[in-house]
């Protein structure tokens, strides 16, 4: 775990992130707040690409809580069989859909407490929905953000809650809305777990991570042909 970076360094890091990608987007496909909740709930221990592949056909027929209830658990299961833990996730989606219909008029609530009361919706899922749909500067910490936060010193912490608090406490307010997306995309494509792409990293000179991946050696020139 790196030490907490100075405020000025964190500001420069996020200024570079913003210059490279002013409006970062989440990669889970959705058409409304409800489908976002479902997509994020399905993405636990699964890839966004795998979830998107399954939900394109699902959301074409069930993009509201009532339509999902009409589809039923078995119908939902047929759509998401390719996603890990699909049986339990199907049960949760049906249960949360029923709660949304019966207790929230079919609408997705905009409070973290109400969201986390839904089956299969934890703090991370709630924060994604609050950030992406309701535009709250909530920080959803997954394994990528946990790694980047600790490796770089942007937001060190022993657990995801500590990293979330560190982002809220140390990232300048002007970057809070998109901080979660910049960090997750950086962890997903550059700051990889096993072999980070340090030569391609736009904040490598600001990052204290000691075990940086060296650049690839230049290709060896073929020896001249014999005379």
């Amino acid at each position: 775990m790196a030490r907490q970076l100075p405020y000025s360094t964190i500001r420069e890091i996020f200024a570079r992130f913003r210059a490279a990608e002013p409006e970062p987007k989440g990669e889970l496909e959705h058409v409304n707040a409800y489908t976002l909740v479902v997509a994020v709930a399905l993405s636990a221990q699964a890839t966004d690409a795998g979830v998107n592949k399954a939900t394109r056909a699902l959301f074409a027929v069930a993009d509201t809580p009532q339509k999902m209830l009409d589809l039923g658990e078995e119908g939902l299961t047929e759509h998401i069989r390719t996603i890990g833990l699909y049986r339990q996730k199907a049960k949760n989606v049906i249960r949360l859909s029923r709660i949304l219909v019966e207790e929230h008029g079919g609408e997705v609530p905009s409070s973290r407490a109400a969201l986390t009361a839904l089956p299969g919706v934890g703090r991370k899922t709630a924060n994604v929905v609050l950030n992406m749909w309701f535009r709250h500067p909530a920080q959803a910490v997954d394994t990528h953000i946990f790694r980047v936060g600790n490796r770089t010193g942007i937001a060190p912490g022993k657990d995801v809650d500590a990293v979330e608090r560190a982002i809220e406490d140390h990232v300048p307010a002007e970057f809070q809305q998109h901080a979660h997306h910049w960090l997750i995309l950086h962890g997903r494509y550059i700051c990889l777990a096993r072999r980070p792409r340090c030569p391609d990293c736009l904040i490598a000179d600001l990052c204290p991570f000691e075990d940086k991946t060296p650049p690839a050696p230049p290709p060896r020139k073929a020896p001249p042909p014999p005379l």
Side-chain angles (χ1 to χ4, degrees), residues 4 39 61 64 67 72 77 81 87 124 130 132 137 146-147 150 156 162 166 178-179 183 187 192-193 205-206 222 224:
Q4 178 69 58
V61 296
T64 69
K67 289 179 182 179
T77 299
R81 283 185 178 276
R87 290 194 184 279
K124 185 186 78 172
L130 291 172
M132 291 181 62
F146 183 79
R147 178 177 66 255
N150 279 290
H178 293 311
L183 292 172
L192 308 178
D205 59 312
L206 303 174

Side-chain angles (χ1 to χ4, degrees), residues 78-112:
E78 289 303 313
H79 281 280
I80 64 171
R81 283 185 178 276
T82 56
I83 300 175
L85 306 175
Y86 69 92
R87 290 194 184 279
Q88 183 58 49
K89 289 178 180 179
K91 293 180 186 296
N92 286 338
V93 169
I94 294 298
R95 289 169 60 206
L96 74 83
S97 298
R98 184 169 292 110
I99 291 172
L100 289 176
V101 169
E102 294 177 353
E103 300 182 16
H104 299 281
E107 299 295 326
V108 174
S110 60
S111 81
R112 183 181 288 115

Side-chain angles (χ1 to χ4, degrees), residues 92-185:
N92 286 338
V93 169
I94 294 298
R95 289 169 60 206
L96 74 83
S97 298
R98 184 169 292 110
I99 291 172
L100 289 176
V101 169
E102 294 177 353
E103 300 182 16
H104 299 281
E107 299 295 326
V108 174
S110 60
S111 81
R112 183 181 288 115
L115 285 167
T116 54
L118 298 173
V121 177
R123 186 178 179 89
K124 185 186 78 172
T125 297
N127 282 352
V128 171
V129 175
L130 291 172
N131 181 283
M132 291 181 62
W133 192 260
F134 295 106
R135 308 295 294 174
H136 296 179
Q139 308 302 331
V141 178
D142 68 351
T143 55
H144 296 300
I145 296 178
F146 183 79
R147 178 177 66 255
V148 173
N150 279 290
R151 186 180 275 174
T152 63
I154 292 172
K158 294 182 179 180
D159 54 40
V160 294
D161 290 339
V163 171
E164 180 182 336
R165 289 193 299 272
I167 295 172
E168 293 172 345
D169 290 345
H170 298 286
V171 174
E174 66 186 285
F175 302 115
Q176 285 281 332
Q177 180 61 52
H178 293 311
H180 150 252
H181 281 128
W182 282 317
L183 292 172
I184 194 172
L185 293 173

